[in-house]
Amino acid sequence: MPSLRRLFQYAGQYRRDAFWASVCSVANVFFDILPEILIGIAVDVVVNRETSFIATLGVTDSFHQLLYLGVITVFIWGGESLFQYFYQIRWRNLAQNLQHDLRLDAYRHVQKLPLSYFENKSTGKLMSILNDDINQLERFLNGGANSIIQVLCSTLMCSAVFFYIAPQLALIALAPVPLILFGAFWFQRRIAPRYAAVREAAGVISGRLNNNLLGIATIKAFTAEKFEAAHIFDASNHYRQTNAAAIQLSSAIIPIIRMAILSGFVVTLVYGGYLALHGQIGVGSYSVLVFLTQRLLWPLTGLADIADLYQRSMTAIERVLNLLDTPIHIHYEGKPLGQIKGALSFEHIHFAYGEQAVLKDISLHIAAGQTVAFVGATGSGKSTLLKLLLRFYDASSGNIKIDSMESKDIALLDLRRAIGYVGQDVFLSDASIAQNIAYGQSDVDMTAVIAAARAAEAHEFIERLPQGYDTQIGERGQKLSGGQRQRLALARAIFKDPKILVLDEATSAVDNETEAAIQRSLDKIARGRTTLVVAHRLSTVRNAHCIYVMEQGEIVEAGTHEILLAANGSYAALWRLQTGIRETEAALI
C-alpha cells in the first residue's frame, strides 16, 4: 500500500486525531456486537430459567433476569450510539482538515513550479487533481476508513466468541473469512490500473470544459456549439467507457463474496444446530452463533464497496502526492534585495525550450532609469528575455544582474516585488476594481489606488461605473472592455511602485485611443524607473532611449529611433511597413 504509506507520512501531524478516531470506531464495534450476545443470553434465560447463565451471577428470578438484561441493553445501545457520534465527528473533522491542508499545500506547490511545467500540463488535469482527487480523500475518510476498521475488528471479536463457544464449529464456519479478505485485496490490486485510467479521463473532461467555458464567446461567434458539444461527448464517452471497465471488475467481487458467506452461514446453521440438538452447546449459545454469523459475514459483502472506494481514493491521492513531489527548479531562497537603482545587465544569455534555441548569446546593459524597447518578428525571443528577468524561467547559461547582483542569488519574492509587470493577456481576479489595482494587498489604501488609476488614465471610466472603485468586474474582468482591462493592469503595476517596469505587448490588443492613453501614462510613470517594453507597434517605442531589434534569438540592431532609421536596416524596414500601411489606409479614406 505505497499510497497509504505516503499519505500517513504526509499527515504526520494528524496521527493523534486518526488514533482517537480509530479508538472510537473500535469501541463502537464492541458495543455493536453485544446485542447479538444478549439475544443468546435472553434465549438462555427463557429456556433454562433458574439454571441460566445469569442465574450463576446471583440473579435467580427469571423476570428479574430479563429486567437485568433490559438495563444492560439500554447501556449497550447508548454506548454504541455515543461512540458512533464520536467516530463520525472525529473522522469527518479529520477528513475536512486533511483535505484543506492537502489542497492548500498542493496549490502552493503548483504556484512555485516554473512556467515550463504548465506548458506541458493541461489546466483541466491540474484542476481535476486539486479538486476532484482531493475530494476523493474526503469521501474515503468520511466512511471508508471507519468501515475498514470495523470490518477487521468485527472479524476478530466475533471469531473470539466463536472459538470460545464452539472451537470446532468456528474452524469450519470462519474458513471463508480469509478467502474473502484475500479476494477483496486481489481484486483491489487488479483494479488499480483501471482507476488510474478513470482519473486521467476525468482530467481530460475537466480540461475540455474549462477551455470551452473560457472561450464561450468565440464558440458562440463561430456557431461552434454542436462542434464543441461533440468534443465533450467524446471526452465524456471515453470517461464512461473507462469507468465501465473498472465497474465490470469491481462488480464481480460481490457475488463471489456472497457465495463464500453463504457457505459459512449454512455451516453454522446446520452443524451448530446439530451440536445444540445433541446437547454439546446450549440453545442460547446456538442463538449467539447464528446471530454472530449474520453480524460477521454479511457485512463482508460491503468489503467490495470499501475496497472500491479505497482504490479510487488511493489512485487519486497518488496523483496529488506525485504533484507535491514535482521538483521546484527555481528556488525562492536567496539574499534580500533591499533598495535598488534599477540598472540591468544581461551577460551572454542562452536559452532553449527543449532542443529549440530561443536566445543566443544576448548581452546588453541598461542604465538605471532608462527606457529600452525590444522589437522584432514573433518568435524572435523578445518576451522570453523579459520572462528570464522575472525568473519565470532560468537561462540555460549566462547571468542577469540587477545593480551588479546576480538575479539567481536574490530571494525570488524580493526580485519580483521590485518589478512591475504588464502583459498582453491581462489577468484580473473576480473582485472589485480597487482590489484588482491593489492586487495582493490585504489592506487597500484608496488614496494610492486612486493615484495609480489616475496615472494609468483609468480614473475617469472607473468613476462612471455603477459602484466606482467598488464595482465587481467578474471572472477575469469580463465585465470590462479590453482597453479598460489593460488600463487596470497598468494601474496595478503603478500601484506597486516598482523600480523596474516591464511591459510585454501591453498595447498590442487595444484601440488607438487606449494606446494613446497608455503611451501618455508611460511617458509619466517611466521617469525614474527602468522600463523594458516589448512592442509590435513601433510608434509606441520611438521615444525609448534604446531600441533593440531581435531576429531568431539574436540582437541584430540597437540604437535610438533616429539612428535605426538612418541605418536603413531591419528596423527601418519595419517602420516603413507599418507607416506605409497607415498611409495607404488614410489615402483610401
Side-chain angles (χ1 to χ4, degrees):
M1 300 181 183
S3 299
L4 190 58
R5 281 199 299 268
R6 293 176 68 188
L7 181 61
F8 281 151
Q9 292 171 358
Y10 170 81
Q13 62 175 319
Y14 291 112
R15 288 175 185 171
R16 182 181 179 87
D17 296 327
F19 171 77
W20 285 113
S22 302
V23 168
C24 292
S25 294
V26 172
N28 174 258
V29 172
F30 174 74
F31 282 102
D32 193 33
I33 66 172
L34 289 180
E36 279 79 4
I37 297 176
L38 288 179
I39 292 173
I41 296 175
V43 171
D44 182 54
V45 169
V46 172
V47 172
N48 296 315
R49 302 190 178 189
E50 289 79 6
T51 60
S52 67
F53 170 74
I54 293 183
T56 62
L57 301 177
V59 184
T60 56
D61 183 78
S62 300
F63 182 68
H64 288 169
Q65 292 177 25
L66 293 175
L67 289 177
Y68 185 65
L69 285 177
V71 172
I72 295 176
T73 300
V74 172
F75 172 76
I76 289 173
W77 280 60
E80 179 187 358
S81 300
L82 183 65
F83 281 106
Q84 182 176 8
Y85 170 78
F86 284 150
Y87 84 64
Q88 286 183 342
I89 287 289
R90 288 187 173 275
W91 280 119
R92 289 179 180 180
N93 285 337
L94 175 61
Q96 291 297 319
N97 292 334
L98 187 54
Q99 176 199 44
H100 172 73
D101 286 353
L102 190 58
R103 179 176 284 115
L104 286 182
D105 286 346
Y107 177 71
R108 289 174 182 141
H109 188 81
V110 166
Q111 288 190 118
K112 294 181 180 180
L113 295 173
L115 284 184
S116 55
Y117 176 85
F118 299 95
E119 291 167 355
N120 298 319
K121 294 290 181 181
S122 162
T123 303
K125 289 184 179 180
L126 286 175
M127 286 292 294
S128 178
I129 292 173
L130 294 174
N131 191 36
D132 295 342
D133 287 350
I134 292 177
N135 287 342
Q136 284 287 342
L137 170 65
E138 180 190 12
R139 297 186 190 104
F140 174 69
L141 290 179
N142 275 345
N146 171 72
S147 297
I148 290 174
I149 291 172
Q150 293 205 333
V151 166
L152 293 176
C153 290
S154 293
T155 302
L156 293 175
M157 292 178 185
C158 293
S159 298
V161 175
F162 255 86
F163 278 100
Y164 175 78
I165 296 176
Q168 291 181 340
L169 177 60
L171 288 173
I172 302 173
L174 299 179
V177 173
L179 296 176
I180 292 171
L181 295 175
F182 173 79
F185 287 106
W186 181 83
F187 270 93
Q188 176 259 321
R189 286 193 298 271
R190 291 287 303 274
I191 205 170
R194 300 193 183 191
Y195 279 135
V198 169
R199 299 313 307 159
E200 286 296 318
V204 171
I205 292 179
S206 181
R208 175 64 68 177
L209 289 171
N210 179 71
N211 184 70
N212 286 8
L213 291 175
L214 290 176
I216 192 67
T218 302
I219 293 172
K220 288 178 176 294
F222 283 84
T223 62
E225 289 90 345
K226 290 185 178 179
F227 178 77
E228 289 299 344
H231 283 162
I232 297 299
F233 173 83
D234 290 340
S236 183
N237 193 49
H238 174 63
Y239 174 76
R240 181 178 63 177
Q241 292 174 349
T242 307
N243 226 336
I247 292 171
Q248 184 178 12
L249 184 59
S250 66
S251 299
I253 187 175
I254 295 179
I256 295 174
I257 290 178
R258 188 179 296 275
M259 297 311 296
I261 289 171
L262 175 64
S263 64
F265 180 74
V266 170
V267 166
T268 303
L269 187 68
V270 176
Y271 184 54
Y274 173 83
L275 295 177
L277 288 173
H278 288 78
Q280 297 184 34
I281 60 174
V283 176
S285 296
Y286 173 62
S287 301
V288 170
L289 295 180
V290 171
F291 282 110
L292 277 184
T293 304
Q294 286 278 91
R295 177 64 184 81
L296 170 63
L297 295 179
W298 283 114
L300 288 176
T301 58
L303 195 61
D305 292 331
I306 296 172
D308 185 77
L309 177 60
Y310 169 81
Q311 190 52 60
R312 284 179 182 268
S313 301
M314 291 304 105
T315 301
I317 290 306
E318 186 77 14
R319 283 167 31 110
V320 178
L321 295 178
N322 286 342
L323 176 62
L324 281 171
D325 289 341
T326 303
I328 300 173
H329 299 295
I330 299 178
H331 296 284
Y332 278 55
E333 298 78 13
K335 300 175 183 177
L337 186 57
Q339 293 294 324
I340 62 170
K341 296 179 180 178
L344 298 173
S345 294
F346 295 80
E347 301 175 350
H348 305 290
I349 298 297
H350 291 263
F351 181 76
Y353 290 111
E355 300 296 325
Q356 181 182 359
V358 178
L359 296 175
K360 308 168 187 175
D361 197 25
I362 300 293
S363 294
L364 57 96
H365 177 76
I366 304 170
Q370 278 194 337
T371 296
V372 301
F374 299 91
V375 302
T378 300
S380 58
K382 308 182 299 298
S383 295
T384 301
L385 194 63
L386 302 187
K387 290 175 181 177
L388 292 179
L389 173 62
L390 284 155
R391 289 198 70 199
F392 293 160
Y393 309 97
D394 274 338
S396 305
S397 63
N399 296 312
I400 299 175
K401 293 182 178 180
I402 300 178
D403 290 354
S404 73
M405 189 174 183
E406 289 193 16
S407 62
K408 290 182 181 180
D409 296 334
I410 301 170
L412 192 57
L413 293 180
D414 284 0
L415 171 70
R416 291 176 180 169
R417 288 190 185 113
I419 302 173
Y421 175 74
V422 182
Q424 178 181 1
D425 184 16
V426 176
F427 168 78
L428 296 173
S429 63
D430 188 3
S432 70
I433 283 183
Q435 290 169 329
N436 271 281
I437 293 176
Y439 185 62
Q441 304 295 320
S442 55
D443 296 323
V444 178
D445 182 353
M446 285 305 301
T447 302
V449 166
I450 293 172
R454 289 185 184 277
E457 296 200 14
H459 179 71
E460 289 186 7
F461 90 76
I462 294 173
E463 286 287 280
R464 291 194 297 268
L465 295 173
Q467 285 83 39
Y469 284 86
D470 293 326
T471 301
Q472 299 292 315
I473 62 175
E475 186 178 11
R476 298 183 67 86
Q478 61 185 354
K479 295 182 181 179
L480 303 177
S481 69
Q484 289 172 335
R485 290 196 295 268
Q486 201 70 47
R487 293 192 202 187
L488 279 191
L490 183 58
R492 180 170 59 192
I494 297 169
F495 178 87
K496 195 176 181 181
D497 193 23
K499 277 295 183 181
I500 302 170
L501 184 62
V502 172
L503 304 171
D504 187 3
E505 300 284 9
T507 62
S508 63
V510 299
D511 55 76
N512 291 334
E513 180 183 351
T514 303
E515 179 188 354
I518 292 176
Q519 189 59 51
R520 289 192 299 269
S521 300
L522 289 178
D523 292 340
K524 297 175 184 176
I525 64 176
R527 296 169 190 165
R529 290 185 174 89
T530 305
T531 306
L532 286 71
V533 183
V534 166
H536 277 107
R537 297 181 183 178
L538 302 185
S539 59
T540 61
V541 299
R542 62 181 300 174
N543 295 325
H545 293 96
C546 187
I547 300 171
Y548 294 93
V549 183
M550 299 187 66
E551 291 180 3
Q552 298 181 352
E554 297 179 298
I555 295 175
V556 296
E557 290 183 331
T560 63
H561 173 72
E562 290 75 14
I563 291 175
L564 291 174
L565 285 182
N568 199 28
S570 298
Y571 181 85
L574 286 172
W575 178 261
R576 285 194 297 270
L577 178 63
Q578 292 190 11
T579 55
I581 291 172
R582 291 173 184 167
E583 290 169 2
T584 302
E585 290 174 347
L588 290 174
I589 294 172

